[in-house]
Amino acid sequence: MLDFERARLHILDQIKPLPGELVPVGEADGRVLAEDLVSSVDLPPFDYSAMDGYAVQAADFSGEGPWRLPVTLEQRAGGVAQRLGAASAARIFTGAALPEGADSVIMQEDAELSDAAVTFRAAPRRGSHVRRRGEDLARGAVALTRGTRLNPFRLGLAAALDRAEVLVARRPRVALLCTGDELRDAGSPARPGSIPDSNGPSLAALARRAGADVRRLPRTSDDLAETRAALRQALAECDVLLSVGGVSVGDHDVVKQALEAEGVKLDFWKVKIKPGKPLAFGRRDDVWVLGLPGNPVSAQLTLCLFGLPLLRALQGDAQALPAISQVRLGAAIAQKPGRLGFYRARLENGVAFAHDNQASGAPTSMAQADVLIMVPAESSGVAAGASVSALRLDDL
Ligand code: AMP
Ligand code: MG
């Protein structure tokens, strides 16, 4: 059996990012930059007023106030910067270019307009309420580095830097195959012994969250020929093949055999984690293959712990692995030493309580959890009140 960290590094070390593609900035949310986003402009692009008020020259405010200046021009947002003469003021609005000759803005609340002239009781500080060209980011500076996953704030910045498109890694194409004679679509008529396929929708959603383009294949039964045919077609059309179920040692677990028969080189089979032990990883040419166990919690966990980092690494994501944080444990956890345990727990006021049912077939444990508590393989448990390592489900 392989250690968790060794197994994961073994996967991540092999991955090379997929090629980049240009996408419109408005469609780039969640995509990973395949270029350093270098600013080709100054941000802001010109000096402008941060207030509605009057643009003036600070040097005109000598001696004792108040000061009265004629208002000789109006500068609106979107207009070309005009020229302001000495000893005069420009009516100006938020976002308008600062007139040439002006160096400060006085907000209108501090001014009194009468007869085309304006009176100020206080002199401006030079540069007040003026946003300087390039003060946020100078042209040529790196705004965001390659490997950064774009979010609404970051794509807003890209647009502010006048970019219509950004170069991002292509989305990995994932083919998802669920196997098992007992499975049917949720909501379809039940046959005796059948259960709804809950992994299909759940795992597809997880992979999409990690940036993949997911295609769910028609489910196959526990039949070698049928499974081989489905795998053969999927392998021709995807970057990552995810199979679910049938990788254990039962008589009807045909997936491992089918994968190998289709030319997939499998790297390992057992990882020292609980739940989720039977896990297959391999490749055929450029296609990565993960054979996930069928138990819903094991399937979700192994996809989150191995598959999603793999998908992120394929996108060149600099943060392929989720952050580990520390939380306080509200009630003790006992463990039989041997495998790194991932215990589903909910947080109450920041304190973690493990779910009662930690069975790998119990989907409530994941659905009602906020965090996965990590208990080291050699440990026989953790006492209440102890600080433990945890992964937030939302970060997975
Ligand atoms: P397997 O890995 O095929 O031995 O399946 C282990 C357990 O997970 C069995 O109880 C299966 O019925 C269940 N299972 C397998 N695939 C799914 C699925 N797609 N949705 C829900 N349960 C599943
Ligand atoms: Mg099965």
Side-chain angles (χ1 to χ4, degrees):
M1 275 206 282
L2 262 168
D3 278 345
F4 171 63
E5 286 306 340
R6 291 232 333 260
R8 197 150 68 164
L9 287 178
H10 175 80
I11 294 179
L12 292 182
D13 280 353
Q14 300 183 47
I15 306 291
K16 298 216 168 28
L18 295 167
E21 62 184 6
L22 284 171
V23 303
V25 164
E27 291 163 27
D29 188 26
R31 306 293 295 271
V32 179
L33 279 176
E35 57 168 339
D36 283 341
L37 187 69
V38 177
S39 181
S40 60
V41 294
D42 285 316
L43 181 67
F46 49 83
D47 297 353
Y48 74 94
S49 176
M51 288 286 176
D52 293 322
Y54 296 89
V56 295
Q57 205 163 12
D60 288 336
F61 291 73
S62 55
E64 290 283 298
W67 297 268
R68 187 168 168 81
L69 300 175
V71 178
T72 55
L73 58 92
E74 182 183 86
Q75 190 74 54
R76 295 166 57 167
V80 179
Q82 302 166 69
R83 165 122 219 126
L84 181 69
S88 53
R91 181 73 173 117
I92 196 164
F93 300 95
T94 306
L98 194 70
E100 287 172 41
D103 57 17
S104 313
V105 169
I106 298 175
M107 54 200 256
Q108 65 189 33
E109 290 82 344
D110 295 337
E112 265 164 57
L113 181 69
S114 62
D115 301 331
V118 60
T119 303
F120 305 105
R121 299 204 176 281
R125 193 172 33 78
R126 196 164 174 275
S128 57
H129 304 309
V130 173
R131 303 248 163 92
R132 287 280 164 208
R133 171 181 181 158
E135 74 176 21
D136 195 14
L137 202 70
R139 175 193 197 137
V142 175
L144 296 169
T145 52
R146 173 200 294 255
T148 302
R149 191 171 289 276
L150 294 173
N151 60 23
F153 313 111
R154 293 166 182 166
L155 63 89
L157 174 59
L161 296 177
D162 229 340
R163 294 286 293 262
E165 296 180 316
V166 280
L167 188 70
V168 296
R170 176 161 77 65
R171 287 187 186 281
R173 292 164 306 163
V174 167
L176 176 63
L177 176 67
C178 289
T179 68
D181 290 349
E182 71 278 32
L183 301 176
R184 58 179 174 79
D185 284 337
S188 66
R191 338 174 275 277
S194 71
I195 58 165
D197 169 9
S198 61
N199 285 332
S202 176
L203 304 187
L206 279 167
R208 282 196 193 103
R209 274 201 184 184
D213 220 340
V214 181
R215 191 159 61 92
R216 282 177 65 187
L217 306 175
R219 274 186 307 275
T220 55
S221 59
D222 296 316
D223 174 81
L224 182 61
E226 188 190 339
T227 307
R228 279 191 62 174
L231 292 175
R232 191 176 315 135
Q233 208 194 329
L235 283 163
E237 295 166 359
C238 68
D239 302 303
V240 177
L241 173 64
L242 298 175
S243 72
V244 189
V247 289
S248 204
V249 292
D251 291 349
H252 304 289
D253 289 334
V254 298
V255 172
K256 177 182 180 210
Q257 202 186 332
L259 285 169
E260 284 175 332
E262 290 306 320
V264 176
K265 293 264 173 308
L266 291 174
D267 277 12
F268 62 77
W269 278 98
K270 295 200 165 128
V271 187
K272 266 195 255 175
I273 58 171
K274 189 178 178 183
K277 190 171 64 172
L279 168 75
F281 167 69
R283 69 186 290 181
R284 194 187 79 178
D285 305 322
D286 287 340
V287 182
W288 301 96
V289 177
L290 267 185
L292 307 173
N295 266 312
V297 175
S298 307
Q300 291 167 335
L301 266 178
T302 48
L303 180 61
C304 289
L305 298 174
F306 297 95
L308 303 188
L310 182 155
L311 290 174
R312 289 190 283 261
L314 277 174
Q315 296 162 80
D317 190 335
Q319 285 184 311
L321 297 177
I324 296 178
S325 50
Q326 298 293 313
V327 298
R328 193 155 301 285
L329 205 54
I333 294 177
Q335 170 171 277
K336 182 159 89 63
R339 295 193 266 159
L340 170 60
F342 291 91
Y343 296 85
R344 283 75 73 205
R346 62 181 200 287
L347 288 181
E348 276 176 27
N349 299 321
V351 179
F353 292 88
H355 195 272
D356 287 339
N357 186 357
Q358 295 286 330
S360 60
T364 54
S365 69
M366 287 296 267
Q368 296 171 358
D370 304 300
V371 291
L372 294 174
I373 302 290
M374 298 168 71
V375 178
E378 64 280 5
S379 166
S380 57
V382 190
S387 170
V388 287
S389 296
L391 297 165
R392 300 190 71 92
L393 260 60
D394 283 341
D395 293 344
L396 292 174

